[in-house]
Amino acid sequence: MKPLSPTDQLFLWLEKRQQPMHVGGLQIFSFPEDAPDDYVSKLAEQLRNDTDVTAPFNQRLDSRLAQPVWVHDVHLDLEHHFRFEALPTPGRIRELLAFVSAEHSHLMDRERPLWEFHLIEGLSERQFAVYIKVHHSLVDGVSAMRMTQRMLSTDPSKRNMPPVWDLSVRAGQKVDRSEPSLWHSIGHLLGASGKQLGTVPTVARELLRTVTAARKDPAYNSIFHAPRSILNRKITGSRRFAAQSYCLKRIKAVCHAYHTTVNDVVTAMCASALRTYLMNLDALPDKPLIAMVPVSLRKYQKPDGSKSEGQQAEGNQVGVILANLHTDESDAGTRLRKIHQSMQEGKDRYAHMSPEEILNYTALTLAPAAFNLLTGMAPKWQTFNVVISNVPGPKEACYWNGAKLEGMYPVSIAMDRLALNMTLTSYNDQVEFGLIGCRRTLPSLQRMLDYLEDGLVELEQALVS
Amino acid sequence: MKPLSPTDQLFLWLEKRQQPMHVGGLQIFSFPEDAPDDYVSKLAEQLRNDTDVTAPFNQRLDSRLAQPVWVHDVHLDLEHHFRFEALPTPGRIRELLAFVSAEHSHLMDRERPLWEFHLIEGLSERQFAVYIKVHHSLVDGVSAMRMTQRMLSTDPSKRNMPPVWDLSVRAGQKVDRSEPSLWHSIGHLLGASGKQLGTVPTVARELLRTVTAARKDPAYNSIFHAPRSILNRKITGSRRFAAQSYCLKRIKAVCHAYHTTVNDVVTAMCASALRTYLMNLDALPDKPLIAMVPVSLRKYQKPDGSKSEGQQAEGNQVGVILANLHTDESDAGTRLRKIHQSMQEGKDRYAHMSPEEILNYTALTLAPAAFNLLTGMAPKWQTFNVVISNVPGPKEACYWNGAKLEGMYPVSIAMDRLALNMTLTSYNDQVEFGLIGCRRTLPSLQRMLDYLEDGLVELEQALVS
């Protein structure tokens, strides 16, 4: 029996019918070369028999003295968690994304361990997919990505590799609970009292007090300047997931030419996609959109020049940058330069902060959004419009029992007033984008995939001309 | 804009994460003889383009003055409602039932019209399936079955037959809202005040008042005698669906030999299956289980001898019989005779009642269960253990655009304290059982399909010996 941290309780509190709080990951594999045509169904049979379920996958929610706790699930029913499914013909990526969109819209059964593993056959060209869904109260996004990586190997000849629910936890390491999390900083903001707060109204009151105090402080005033936009409406319960890989080499070429980081370029691609998407809906605000960008700060504190890539660093100090996306700027090259400057300013702000100050600043940046989410009240302060998150991924080609991982895409959370989440990860020679959004608030979200590509092409063309 | 009836509001009130309140139907079709191998994907393409959505499929929930109303959904997104999906290999009925089990566990998105139409390919032997899911507040079970029938034809050569969401409503006929419903009788019990009750506590208080008064009345006392059993525990959010066809000819042979109705025989099959299932779990109560069996009363009021089959009659007067299933009786033949007698007594009770009295009696029978459901309180009065419902189905072979309907299975609702629902329907020369239950409360529910068959064999063998 283990009590949930205040942060993990947040994800239970925030969850409602229209706002499920699980995260996911989609992986596409190709068959091993010598695999028979019924490879996936044989794999399914093998996985179905892998009934050794390790922590945290064997933990379910319970409550003790009105507090949520994790307990060992003695009735674990693997058939509920491991699902073997198929795509309809013609089995294109389009059908796969429709499948993930529908599955990611469904709430999870809170009376069971909060994870699902979907093995998906029916993709064309001898490929198959895995969609893993885990509740954010059980595992955060970065940890989920790490766990997935632990399931994989860079050795294509390796076999007998267990699925993610049967990975032994390395001794002395709380692999899946000790990761840095932005939401943990809210817990920090609430201070030592956080553990005793216990109820939503108390937490909300604390947040409001802190935010109101901060508005009077000129040093924090800069974090309350985002425009209103359709991205910041209330959401419905159905999702659209869109995902695509982009060539890292092309992105790096742009980043070298402009003397920016890879992260600046992908942020500029997002800015361009958002600009085009909102312009087509006649909904682009006059003022530039602001993105909340989580950054890892360890490497930043020991800067190594212009190629420092905060987000791709490993570390346990996380901050957020409120990046001005300059969506009011029509020239792509100028926009990238301005975004680079905006990101740099954000990082500079952290440069002389103590770890304690970084935690405070980060928590405060998130506090208004957390307050609105918890109370359901319309935001008085729009601090940011969209979340753009870059999760570190494997740098080399990976394999699972000889099946090559062709692409891996994060599936994150859309929330009230934050109808779109753009999460990306790097894998081998690719940058993998996963966009999740409310299907009604953001119609035809999948068009953004083309606009991201257009954003990259724009930057390449600006170089040529 | 149309306000919801008090009855339809009940289904919204009763719905929670662990207790979705939608009903469904599963249909299995075989390909038309001349159909190409990609028949189902072509059909999907055609259905996807059928964007004329008629009432009630174009209605979504909204609220006016804190009362729920149906409004026209101007943003209808057919892609959300029509889903083309596939079964994993080997595409047996087992995979189909697993698919329906998972889908039926998911809550529907209340911000959209409350229906889904799943076209499912990947069944072996040139078959495909359709699983339709509709919220009970939008359509009741009998109406859903009627709508499905209206989609079909007995003419195998007929083509250009639209899907269920594009059936024109016949002029002057409220096809989908005017059906008899058991829950309507609760509305009746609440009297004219029902429309104004408006909140769960008020309704619960009214129900409690009525039930308490009834217990003092010896005439009603007989309805409070069911034993406690595992069927009457709280449920979790995941479901198991099990379905199978049984030969009507065999059932009729038994019913003629014993001079009972078809309905008595299928009820005896259910009794036998429940007895075996609970015995194997060492959970069979000493006292016999009581089933709540809805019956249509129009034909009963004009009895035509021993072959009167109340439930298969058409009519708008519905009553419920609390049938003693005699699960304490080990001899199958004796059990059937006793069940016949129990059913007959139930019907006799109604014989001299006025329509008003029938409504009252029916509502009262359901009131304790409704009270427990609304308040979440443990039942003080267990009036019945299980619901066995027989919905009239087509008597001849049916076709949809030339594809022959091979089987159709109702998918009903499991509720707290009513963890199992056994709904059956007749089709052509078959009796079609659909069992839906809580996956955790009732482990390996699918075994009941064999026990139903065993129950029939038992009766056949009792005849021979």
Side-chain angles (χ1 to χ4, degrees), chain A residues 15-18 40-41 48 60 73 75-77 79-80 83-90 92 94-95 98-99 102-103 106-114 116 121 133 135 235-238 240 438-440 446, chain B residues 15-18 40-41 48 60 73 75-77 79-80 83-90 92 94-95 98-99 102-103 106-114 116 121 133 135 235-238 240 438-440 446:
Chain A
E15 186 164 75
K16 53 183 177 178
R17 197 176 179 111
Q18 307 93 306
V40 192
S41 65
R48 207 174 268 138
R60 69 172 176 86
D73 186 3
H75 299 292
L76 197 133
D77 168 13
E79 208 185 324
H80 171 86
R83 315 254 176 104
F84 178 36
E85 283 150 331
L87 297 181
T89 46
R92 296 163 301 185
R94 178 181 159 169
E95 280 75 32
F99 176 92
E103 282 299 331
H106 298 313
L107 285 173
M108 306 186 83
D109 183 355
R110 284 205 183 174
E111 271 137 301
R112 298 173 184 271
L114 291 162
E116 292 168 17
E121 68 168 3
K133 178 172 166 180
H135 201 275
I235 60 170
T236 71
S238 54
R240 168 92 70 178
C438 168
R439 204 181 177 89
R440 175 157 293 170
Q446 72 281 8
Chain B
E15 187 163 75
K16 53 184 177 177
R17 197 176 179 112
Q18 306 94 306
V40 192
S41 66
R48 206 174 269 138
R60 70 172 175 87
D73 185 4
H75 300 293
L76 197 132
D77 168 12
E79 208 185 325
H80 172 85
R83 314 253 177 104
F84 178 37
E85 283 149 334
L87 297 181
T89 45
R92 298 162 302 185
R94 178 181 160 168
E95 280 74 32
F99 176 92
E103 282 298 332
H106 298 313
L107 286 173
M108 306 186 82
D109 183 354
R110 284 205 181 171
E111 273 138 299
R112 297 172 184 272
L114 290 162
E116 293 169 16
E121 69 167 3
K133 179 172 168 181
H135 201 275
I235 59 170
T236 71
S238 53
R240 168 91 69 179
C438 168
R439 203 179 177 91
R440 174 158 293 171
Q446 71 283 7

Side-chain angles (χ1 to χ4, degrees), chain B residues 93-144:
Chain B
I93 296 298
R94 178 181 160 168
E95 280 74 32
L96 180 61
L97 296 178
F99 176 92
V100 174
S101 299
E103 282 298 332
H104 208 69
S105 303
H106 298 313
L107 286 173
M108 306 186 82
D109 183 354
R110 284 205 181 171
E111 273 138 299
R112 297 172 184 272
L114 290 162
W115 64 278
E116 293 169 16
F117 185 106
H118 299 256
L119 177 70
I120 305 156
E121 69 167 3
L123 263 175
S124 49
E125 294 168 9
R126 287 170 60 87
Q127 294 192 328
F128 67 97
V130 168
Y131 160 64
I132 303 177
K133 179 172 168 181
V134 190
H135 201 275
H136 208 321
S137 62
L138 191 72
V139 170
D140 64 64
V142 173
S143 306

Side-chain angles (χ1 to χ4, degrees), chain A residues 250-281:
Chain A
R250 283 174 61 199
I251 291 171
K252 277 193 169 160
V254 170
C255 109
H256 289 309
Y258 283 91
H259 305 288
T260 67
T261 67
V262 164
N263 204 46
D264 292 339
V265 176
V266 293
T267 307
M269 285 167 67
C270 292
S272 173
L274 283 163
R275 182 178 144 87
T276 310
Y277 178 77
L278 292 175
M279 271 172 54
N280 287 349
L281 291 174

